[in-house]
Amino acid sequence: YSDPHCAAGRDTIVHLFEWKWTDIKAECERFLGPMGYCGVQVSPVNENAVVTNPSRPWYERYQPVSYNLNTRSGNEQQFRDMVSACNKAGVRIYVDAVINHMTGSYSGQGTGGSSFDGGACRFPGVPFGPNDCNGGDNCHTSDGSIHNYGNPEEVRNCRLVGLADLRLGSDYVRDKIAGFMNNLIDIGVAGFRVDAAKHMWPGDIVGVFSRLHNLRSDTFGSGKKPFIVQEVIDMGGEPIKMSEYFGTGRVTNFIFGVKLADVFLRHSNQAKWLSNFGEGWGMPSTYDVLNFLSNHDNQRGHGGGGAPITFREPKEMKIATAFMLAHPYGFPRVMSSYDWPVNYQNGNDQNNWMGPPHNGDMSTKDVRINADNTCNDGWICEHRWRQVYNMVAFRNVVAGTPLQNWQALGDNQIAFSRGTKGFIAIVGDGSHMNSDINTGLPSGDYCDVISGSYENGECTGKTVHVDGSGHAHFNINGQSDDPVVAIHIGAKK
Ligand code: QV4
Ligand code: CA
């Protein structure tokens, strides 16, 4: 389950958080395909509770009502069109699968018109009834919700923030969930992010996955299992470990982004210690992790996954993204966010519930693209920042090469090559790098893909001359907006 099934020569996915299917389809064709992205993690696809207080928060999509494909991102036909257009453009679709639970303990209507009563575990749109949720027989907290993350039984059998917890031990529930996932597999998705995996017994996940179809052979070849990323927030302090889930796919490596925030944002650690980043820092094997700087939860203080670097610190975000994408460890995901007006009171953002940019009728706004490649209406589109997409291409070019020529020129001045194909130099603090460095690359003139691009045989940014001994001169002001230089053989004059 750990192979993302990227089309050849691609290696980075992007989470287009809350985007509509019609916009993702267009983005695959006009940008993600041409720029070398492997795929897109999309927001939950199945019918969810309509939450009106507060008004249509993003998190309503984590409260399933049925497995009909009907959300603010679009309907089933639009989803099918997106999947086939993206696959045609060489871009994979990964669905955020919310299968641990249904809605909170209240009743109402879903985005597809189905009714529900979460307190009683009644979801006629599936249908699920009272026997299909965990309860007093296996959850022993007074209110049926999770309070103690130190007790694995409670974490798996009780309600996560009051959400009706599905009885995944039952064959009927497993069949329904597998049926939902198989419908998506048959449509042509390449895999799933499995929400709240920590809250499901590993054996129950096996029980569901053993029912899954292989991926479509016309797109992926025969005998291919879906790519799986399981959301397990394991910062080291709880009995439930990421390692319990390696048998059923990769896990979300929350430590990765928080550690890089320590170095590049908080400066509580030094970049020179990144020489053995990855397994050497006690993180899981490169084949077991999905790495990212921030996700939709911790970028707004949800979920306890630490304090990351986000688009609100653009300089640090670009530095850390360049490091992540240049570094061989793990499989990377770029976050693509929307803006909202933060309002901190006593350290808590009162607006961290706010949903995506929307029209007067609360429908999600289209993503409109400006002439300079940026996006409109509050869509941040980090994946369209030059420093990000040029490093996606860097990663594709250096794939399969080892990290070599590690050099620390100061506590926070680092440089390394990827074999003989790519090289990066980073100033992670306000200091000034002014050094001759061994790049490990063949001699020639290379375009720095951070300050510009390689276009029509020319560099639109800095040019770096590598001499016959592989050395080049680097003059990087740590106070500048982009204190990084990255070069690779795919952008050589
Ligand atoms: C409220 C009270 C509860 C009460 C309940 C009664 O707070 O104490 O028991 O009512 O019904 C929303 C509200 C939350 C509300 C709940 C149920 O924020 O206040 O409970 O709905 O009505 C997202 C949000 C949650 C949101 C949830 C469902 O983050 O705030 O809850 O969606 O809409 C842990 C987990 C990890 C999880 C992380 C957030 O180990 O798995 O917390 N991360 C994933 C997703 C995340 C999502 C969920 C799991 C749930 O990434 O986005 O939660 O699907 O770390
Ligand atoms: Ca559970």
Side-chain angles (χ1 to χ4, degrees), residues 119-233:
C121 191
R122 288 191 199 282
F123 301 94
V126 179
F128 283 142
N131 292 332
D132 300 319
C133 284
N134 291 321
D137 61 325
N138 59 5
C139 164
H140 305 295
T141 63
S142 55
D143 62 355
S145 284
I146 300 167
H147 302 283
N148 177 13
Y149 275 77
N151 177 350
E153 235 185 53
E154 184 172 328
V155 173
R156 265 85 177 238
N157 295 344
C158 298
R159 292 174 167 235
L160 168 61
V161 293
L163 299 161
D165 201 58
L166 288 173
R167 191 177 289 279
L168 281 160
S170 118
D171 280 326
Y172 177 78
V173 172
R174 291 179 181 182
D175 280 341
K176 284 294 171 192
I177 293 173
F180 161 56
M181 295 174 81
N182 280 333
N183 180 32
L184 299 171
I185 288 172
D186 296 346
I187 288 173
V189 307
F192 303 91
R193 171 215 184 242
V194 176
D195 183 70
K198 179 195 281 184
H199 302 277
M200 299 185 274
W201 294 99
D204 287 344
I205 294 182
V206 172
V208 172
F209 289 4
S210 65
R211 290 163 156 83
L212 295 184
H213 299 169
N214 286 331
L215 298 181
R216 278 178 73 131
S217 56
D218 57 355
T219 309
F220 302 99
S222 61
K224 298 287 167 47
K225 287 194 189 330
F227 178 56
I228 301 287
V229 176
Q230 299 158 101
E231 190 225 8
V232 180
I233 304 181

Side-chain angles (χ1 to χ4, degrees), residues 82-142:
M82 170 189 76
V83 172
S84 81
C86 289
N87 276 329
K88 211 168 279 166
V91 181
R92 305 311 185 205
I93 297 294
Y94 308 95
V95 168
D96 195 345
V98 187
I99 59 175
N100 169 67
H101 54 261
M102 303 297 281
T103 69
S105 301
Y106 56 97
S107 53
Q109 276 224 333
T111 47
S114 307
S115 65
F116 66 87
D117 179 349
C121 191
R122 288 191 199 282
F123 301 94
V126 179
F128 283 142
N131 292 332
D132 300 319
C133 284
N134 291 321
D137 61 325
N138 59 5
C139 164
H140 305 295
T141 63
S142 55

